[in-house]
Amino acid sequence: MISVKFELPQFNEQDALRIARECYGLEGTVKPLPSERDQNFLLRTKTGQRFVLKIANVAEQRDILDLQNKAMEHVAARAPSLLVPRVCATPAGELITTTSTAAGAKHFVRVLSYLPGKLFAHINPHTPQLLRSLGRVLGMLDRALEDFSHPAADRPLKWDLRRAGWIREYVPRVADAKRRAMVERLLARFEAEVVPALSGLRSGVIYNDANDYNVLVTEEHPEQRRVAGVIDFGDMLVSNTVCELAVACAYAMLRKADPIAAAAHVVAGYHEMFPLTERELEILFPLIATRLAVSVTNSNYQREVEPENKYLMVTEADAWALLEQLEDVHPRFAHYAFRNACGLPP
């Protein structure tokens, strides 16, 4: 069963300060951070240290949080040059603790290290060098995760591209007939071309959420900027390895005059660190389009049921615009452009 809507916790800033003090012995100030299914606060202590306090939704399972913690630890050990959050223990040594609401509902709590840098979404321009560095970081990340496993990683999740068919039930809610038909065409192509190929492709635990609000960029001169790491491991799971790249490309292509050229830079960087197979390159473009179709369908539904959470719709308009751009791109052209980016005959 795939959950489409998550019930966000309803803790206020005073609650967050109390939790930080009682569970971690930390005093300071807090500022809310956006999230799809948890409640996050930036915690700044009186000594100037910064942490992220994460309060999980009431339905979250402890083993999913353990999966995230173990994966971050694994990546930090295997790829120490990458910036990834580190889990902070309570004074009693717990990496996951709990808090309760006044009504008695229990929520899991973690504190993570705060990572410096700017978000990819706030960087302009996205130079070819920056885009290529995004691909390299994700290639390094997947190479580090290649020997990682966890019993909770094989799980149903709406952001698993292999399960994109769940949107069929929600596509009729898209009011605009032209856009609705476009998503229906993309879903049909996914089911006809991509699904039959997935079983023959590499799979493993992937990070699965390189959207432009989860990617950290170094604060340097625009021409020297590079992607340094990622935050938010909440969507990780077992899936096809190429889905990692498809997700990253989908967001890197937003607001680009030439989205295929932008994606090709990301593909080149990824292939440099974690070489792609011929078959992965063949289905990458339809996978990118599928991710965008899932994103806009999900945002359209979330706007109906949770209109106050603007974070859930933050890329909707740009994603629709990109899908309309990609309507004019022949899949074989994209395929050959990605092959060329990897130094293969187009």
Side-chain angles (χ1 to χ4, degrees), residues 21-39:
R21 182 177 63 254
E22 292 179 357
C23 296
Y24 290 88
L26 296 172
E27 300 269 6
T29 59
V30 294
K31 175 185 174 182
L33 297 172
S35 178
E36 180 189 19
R37 62 177 178 267
D38 300 324
Q39 212 173 356

Side-chain angles (χ1 to χ4, degrees), residues 253 255-263 325 333:
M253 295 163 82
R255 302 175 296 278
K256 301 296 191 299
D258 188 346
I260 298 301
Q325 276 181 285
F333 173 78

Side-chain angles (χ1 to χ4, degrees), residues 90-110:
T90 68
E94 295 177 299
L95 297 179
I96 303 171
T97 188
T98 59
T99 192
S100 297
T101 64
K106 187 174 79 170
H107 294 262
F108 292 116
V109 176
R110 292 176 297 159

Side-chain angles (χ1 to χ4, degrees), residues 245-307:
L245 183 58
V247 172
C249 286
Y251 289 95
M253 295 163 82
L254 296 174
R255 302 175 296 278
K256 301 296 191 299
D258 188 346
I260 298 301
H265 292 305
V266 182
V267 171
Y270 187 94
H271 185 73
E272 180 184 330
M273 303 308 299
F274 200 53
L276 294 150
T277 68
E278 298 259 357
R279 191 67 175 122
E280 287 170 339
L281 285 166
E282 190 176 335
I283 70 159
L284 178 56
F285 182 68
L287 271 176
I288 292 168
T290 299
R291 170 65 186 217
L292 291 166
V294 170
S295 180
V296 295
T297 305
N298 178 71
S299 294
N300 183 79
Y301 172 68
Q302 299 292 356
R303 187 164 12 88
E304 289 182 26
V305 299
E306 203 173 340

Side-chain angles (χ1 to χ4, degrees), residues 76-98:
R78 292 288 193 279
S81 65
L82 294 184
L83 278 182
V84 294
R86 304 302 297 267
V87 187
C88 304
T90 68
E94 295 177 299
L95 297 179
I96 303 171
T97 188
T98 59

